[in-house]
């Protein structure tokens, strides 16, 4: 006896989320090794992140006009690889959330359609029963009319 449907979609989502960390780590390792990846993919976001972070910290501490030195290439490559890995994990998690939302919306839509079909069916049955009741009422009136048209026997 089956108690409920096995939540295979949720299991798949969990599997994808668990696999995203090792995939992100491999991409980070590849980013550290590849010069093109390091130069054009990792370094620019890392330098922007560093600039924004340091600028915010300086403003919080009250230093308005301080210049911010860029990170050295090794530190920027490491930070860029970390940012890339975290963004991959975030995107995979966000994708799983979007897929789960769309699945839930589809289930909700299907249930609503089933309810609407049931409601329409009940309304159709009600209309048929109403028509049957009217037909039987008309027949009953006709039988009563015919009974009243017969002569009443008188007693002798």
């Amino acid at each position: 006896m089956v108690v409920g449907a096995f939540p295979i979609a949720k299991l798949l989502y969990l599997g994808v989320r668990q696999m995203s960390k090792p995939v992100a780590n491999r991409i980070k390792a590849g980013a550290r090794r590849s010069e093109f990846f390091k130069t054009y993919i990792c370094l620019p976001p890392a330098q922007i992140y560093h600039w924004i972070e340091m600028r915010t910290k300086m403003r919080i501490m009250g230093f308005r006009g301080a210049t911010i030195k860029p990170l050295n290439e090794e530190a920027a490559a490491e930070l860029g690889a970390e940012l890339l890995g975290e963004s991959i994990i975030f995107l995979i998690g966000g994708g799983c959330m979007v897929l789960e939302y769309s699945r839930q919306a589809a289930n909700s839509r299907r249930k609503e359609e089933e309810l609407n079909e049931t409601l329409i069916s009940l309304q159709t049955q009600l209309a048929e029963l109403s028509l049957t009741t009217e037909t039987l009422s008309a027949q009953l009136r006709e039988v009563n009319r015919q009974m009243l048209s017969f002569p009443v026997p008188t007693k002798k």
Side-chain angles (χ1 to χ4, degrees), residues 8 15 17-18 25 27 29 33 41 44-45 58 68-69 71 74 79 85 97 103 116 120 130 136 139 143:
I8 193 77
R17 287 179 57 204
Q18 290 296 325
N25 288 337
I27 290 174
R33 285 190 304 261
I41 306 296
M58 291 294 197
I68 299 167
K69 294 180 182 176
L71 287 173
E74 185 63 32
L79 180 61
M97 283 177 38
R103 188 179 73 82
N116 284 339
I120 290 170
S130 176
L136 289 174
Q139 288 175 352
V143 167

Side-chain angles (χ1 to χ4, degrees), residues 68-86:
I68 299 167
K69 294 180 182 176
L71 287 173
N72 63 22
E73 189 172 320
E74 185 63 32
E78 187 67 30
L79 180 61
E82 286 296 320
L83 286 172
L84 180 65
E86 292 299 318

Side-chain angles (χ1 to χ4, degrees), residues 2-6:
V2 177
V3 175
F6 186 70

Side-chain angles (χ1 to χ4, degrees), residues 10-29:
K10 289 184 181 182
L11 185 63
L12 287 174
Y13 293 152
L14 182 62
V16 166
R17 287 179 57 204
Q18 290 296 325
M19 292 299 295
S20 65
K21 266 217 192 272
V23 169
N25 288 337
R26 287 198 94 161
I27 290 174
K28 287 191 306 191

Side-chain angles (χ1 to χ4, degrees), residues 7 10 12 53 57 59 69 79 91 94-95 106 117 139 142 149 156:
K10 289 184 181 182
L12 287 174
E53 179 186 32
K57 285 180 181 178
R59 287 198 178 194
K69 294 180 182 176
L79 180 61
L91 287 174
E117 288 174 7
Q139 288 175 352
E142 179 64 24
S149 69
K156 295 182 185 181

Side-chain angles (χ1 to χ4, degrees), residues 5-128:
F6 186 70
I8 193 77
K10 289 184 181 182
L11 185 63
L12 287 174
Y13 293 152
L14 182 62
V16 166
R17 287 179 57 204
Q18 290 296 325
M19 292 299 295
S20 65
K21 266 217 192 272
V23 169
N25 288 337
R26 287 198 94 161
I27 290 174
K28 287 191 306 191
R32 288 183 189 110
R33 285 190 304 261
S34 169
E35 198 60 40
F36 173 82
F37 214 65
K38 188 188 306 182
T39 306
Y40 296 106
I41 306 296
C42 291
L43 290 181
Q47 293 293 359
I48 291 170
Y49 176 81
H50 172 71
W51 184 81
I52 291 171
E53 179 186 32
M54 292 308 293
R55 185 96 168 166
T56 305
K57 285 180 181 178
M58 291 294 197
R59 287 198 178 194
I60 288 173
M61 291 190 291
F63 300 110
R64 295 277 178 207
T67 58
I68 299 167
K69 294 180 182 176
L71 287 173
N72 63 22
E73 189 172 320
E74 185 63 32
E78 187 67 30
L79 180 61
E82 286 296 320
L83 286 172
L84 180 65
E86 292 299 318
S87 63
I88 288 170
I89 292 171
F90 180 75
L91 287 174
I92 289 174
C96 286
M97 283 177 38
V98 167
L99 287 174
E100 181 65 23
Y101 175 78
S102 65
R103 188 179 73 82
Q104 291 291 334
N107 284 344
S108 175
R109 206 173 23 252
R110 181 184 49 79
K111 286 180 182 178
E112 188 174 328
E113 287 172 1
E114 287 175 1
L115 283 173
N116 284 339
E117 288 174 7
T118 303
L119 182 63
I120 290 170
S121 171
L122 288 173
Q123 288 174 341
T124 304
Q125 287 177 356
L126 182 63
E128 289 173 358

